[in-house]
Amino acid sequence: VETPTGIRIAGLTQDDIAVQTSSSRRCIVRALSKLYQSGALKRVGREYEIPSVEVLLAAVPAAPDLVHRTRGGNWAEELRLAQ
C-alpha cells in the first residue's frame, strides 16, 4: 500500500520471507538488519515500509541472500520497473 512516507507491506513475517526465499530465518534476520541500518527498509508496527524503491535497489547487492526470482526475473528489478 502506498503511503506518503513510502510503500507499506502488511501481513508478512520473517518466517514467510524465509520460506519464499528458501533461506533460514536467521539469514533473513541478518539481511533485514542490514536493510534497516541502510535506511532501505523500516518497521512501522508490524508492517514493513520501503521509503524509496531506489534506495532498496541500491541496498540489494549488499544483501544477496534476499535476491529472489519471480516470473523469470529478479524481484527487485520487477519492483523498479513497476514504478
Side-chain angles (χ1 to χ4, degrees):
V1 175
E2 285 196 49
T3 70
T5 58
I7 300 170
R8 290 257 178 105
I9 303 168
L12 186 65
T13 67
Q14 292 174 351
D15 288 327
D16 293 336
I17 297 169
V19 168
Q20 291 174 12
T21 60
S22 299
S23 300
S24 70
R25 189 170 178 278
R26 176 181 276 179
C27 221
I28 297 303
V29 169
R30 273 189 256 132
L32 289 175
S33 179
K34 290 177 186 177
L35 292 172
Y36 296 144
Q37 290 173 357
S38 72
L41 188 66
K42 296 180 180 180
R43 277 298 280 218
V44 179
R46 292 181 168 252
E47 299 177 343
Y48 295 99
E49 183 173 271
I50 303 168
S52 165
V53 172
E54 290 78 19
V55 173
L56 177 64
L57 291 173
V60 169
D65 43 351
L66 281 184
V67 174
H68 181 67
R69 299 188 92 45
T70 59
R71 287 185 259 142
N74 182 293
W75 69 269
E77 183 64 15
E78 287 187 20
L79 180 61
R80 184 184 68 75
L81 293 174
Q83 296 295 316

